[in-house]
Amino acid sequence: MPEVKKQKKRKAFKIKQKVFRASDPLLSVFMWGVHHSVSQLTHTTIPPLLLPSDFKAFSKVSIENYNFNSDNMVAKFKFKEYCPLVFRDLRERFGVKEQVFNQSLSALEPYYESDADQAREKGHKHFFSKDNRFVVKLFHSEEVEFMHSILNDYHAYVVERGGKVLLPQYLAMYRITVSGVEHYMIIMRNVLASNGLRIHKQYHLKGSTVDREATDKDKSKTNPRLKDLDFLKDDIKIHIGGDKKKEVLEILDSDVKFLSQLKIMDYSILLGIHNIAQVDIIFVIIIPFEIWN
């Protein structure tokens, strides 16, 4: 009888994909959290109308002994999302697709505007998605309470205006706990980067000349954020055409009335200028930058 050789079974294995990797553990957890949140909402039925309870709702997850990507992912962390259905609806109102939102913020490591350690020392910082579509502002628990106090009115106003506002476009709000430290953050659309044009010059305008000039240190940066006195000294004139001027002024007037109703007065505008081939023809993009310090 001929001898039958037994063949060894070979196990196919999949190389572990290194995702949610970042140089800062906080950013790693942030990337994981955004992906987790969007994935959960994908399997959630979105109601046609939001209820008052949706503006108080939250979802949270606590991870312990989490070994996935342990090089940069901490073993224990917590992720909390505020009002997930409300912000999901706001993203839709502002035309932000869930896939784009998830991909931009979780596929590649976000980056800090300045050195991470420097930013931590200041206690107040921003970081950006790798593709610059979104900006994430880190703030304090008091500002989370403030956002909760205006969120119902803000959402109603965005719905009423069909998303055509020059207010910051708030897209999500989280609390991330890493190594026992709580980090609060809100995600906004980075409007100056949304059209793909390079911004050569930008001004942060508050309508005041008191202490409103960029410092020499600020001016030495690659793309400094100049202020009101710089705008006047540069003798900038904005020409956007009659129809566009009427549209912008109407939106600004409506936004200001809305903020006045909420008794909010800290209101500023970020003006971005794209210079075509270094000639005098410019595209101007105007967007209010923030409604608190």
Side-chain angles (χ1 to χ4, degrees):
M1 188 174 179
E3 184 180 351
V4 178
K5 291 185 179 180
K6 291 183 179 180
Q7 290 185 345
K8 290 185 179 180
K9 290 183 179 179
R10 296 182 179 178
K11 276 188 178 182
F13 66 93
K14 189 177 180 180
I15 297 175
K16 189 175 180 181
Q17 190 178 7
K18 297 180 179 180
V19 294
F20 314 129
R21 286 289 181 95
S23 54
D24 183 348
L26 174 62
L27 295 183
S28 293
V29 177
F30 170 80
M31 294 163 69
W32 182 93
V34 171
H35 181 76
H36 171 78
S37 166
V38 174
S39 299
Q40 291 296 307
L41 286 171
T42 302
H43 303 291
T44 302
T45 303
I46 307 299
L49 289 175
L50 294 172
L51 301 174
S53 58
D54 292 322
F55 290 85
K56 300 176 183 178
F58 61 85
S59 65
K60 61 181 180 179
V61 60
S62 179
I63 301 295
E64 295 189 18
N65 301 319
Y66 192 65
N67 294 319
F68 185 63
N69 289 344
S70 56
D71 289 352
N72 293 298
M73 183 73 82
V74 291
K76 294 174 64 176
F77 63 87
K78 296 177 183 179
F79 181 86
K80 180 177 181 179
E81 180 177 18
Y82 298 98
C83 310
L85 290 180
V86 176
F87 284 106
R88 166 67 179 81
D89 188 67
L90 284 171
R91 292 197 290 272
E92 186 174 339
R93 303 279 179 182
F94 289 130
V96 177
K97 294 181 179 179
E98 292 295 277
Q99 184 181 357
V100 172
F101 184 77
N102 185 16
Q103 186 77 8
S104 294
L105 292 165
S106 69
L108 295 172
E109 178 181 356
Y111 70 94
Y112 290 100
E113 192 172 23
S114 56
D115 179 74
D117 293 330
Q118 255 185 355
R120 286 184 189 280
E121 287 173 11
K122 292 178 182 177
H124 186 81
K125 60 189 175 184
H126 299 77
F127 60 85
F128 298 81
S129 62
K130 191 71 174 180
D131 58 8
N132 284 319
R133 288 176 185 265
F134 306 104
V135 56
V136 183
K137 178 179 180 181
L138 282 86
F139 52 22
H140 304 289
S141 58
E142 292 82 3
E143 290 170 299
V144 175
E145 293 175 15
F146 170 75
M147 276 302 303
H148 272 116
S149 71
I150 69 167
L151 187 57
N152 204 325
D153 292 316
Y154 174 82
H155 177 268
Y157 179 67
V158 171
V159 172
E160 177 191 336
R161 298 286 302 178
K164 292 183 179 180
V165 300
L166 287 174
L167 297 172
Q169 296 184 14
Y170 297 121
L171 306 174
M173 187 163 66
Y174 307 131
R175 185 193 72 191
I176 295 176
T177 307
V178 177
S179 302
V181 180
E182 294 180 340
H183 305 268
Y184 299 90
M185 57 191 71
I186 191 161
I187 301 176
M188 299 172 281
R189 174 182 254 165
N190 185 9
V191 181
L192 293 185
S194 62
N195 53 22
L197 295 175
R198 180 184 174 188
I199 301 301
H200 297 96
K201 211 166 194 179
Q202 54 180 304
Y203 296 90
H204 183 197
L205 305 174
K206 287 199 171 187
S208 170
T209 56
V210 179
D211 195 27
R212 294 299 299 163
E213 183 174 8
T215 63
D216 291 337
K217 183 179 179 181
D218 288 335
K219 291 178 181 178
S220 65
K221 295 179 181 178
T222 306
N223 189 11
R225 188 167 291 162
L226 304 172
K227 299 182 180 180
D228 300 71
L229 285 174
D230 305 302
F231 182 79
L232 294 173
K233 288 179 180 178
D234 291 344
D235 195 27
I236 297 292
K237 298 292 187 296
I238 302 174
H239 302 283
I240 56 176
D243 292 341
K244 181 59 69 175
K245 175 183 176 181
K246 184 178 178 181
E247 180 185 350
V248 169
L249 289 178
E250 187 276 327
I251 295 174
L252 283 174
D253 182 61
S254 177
D255 287 351
V256 169
K257 286 178 181 176
F258 167 71
L259 295 175
S260 298
Q261 291 170 4
L262 296 181
K263 295 181 171 55
I264 295 172
M265 63 175 290
D266 189 2
Y267 181 67
S268 56
I269 288 179
L270 186 63
L271 173 70
I273 297 176
H274 170 74
N275 194 333
I276 302 177
Q278 303 302 314
V279 296
D280 292 331
I281 303 172
I282 60 174
F283 285 126
V284 178
I285 304 165
I286 306 175
I287 187 73
F289 180 55
E290 57 188 358
I291 54 177
W292 61 68
N293 282 324

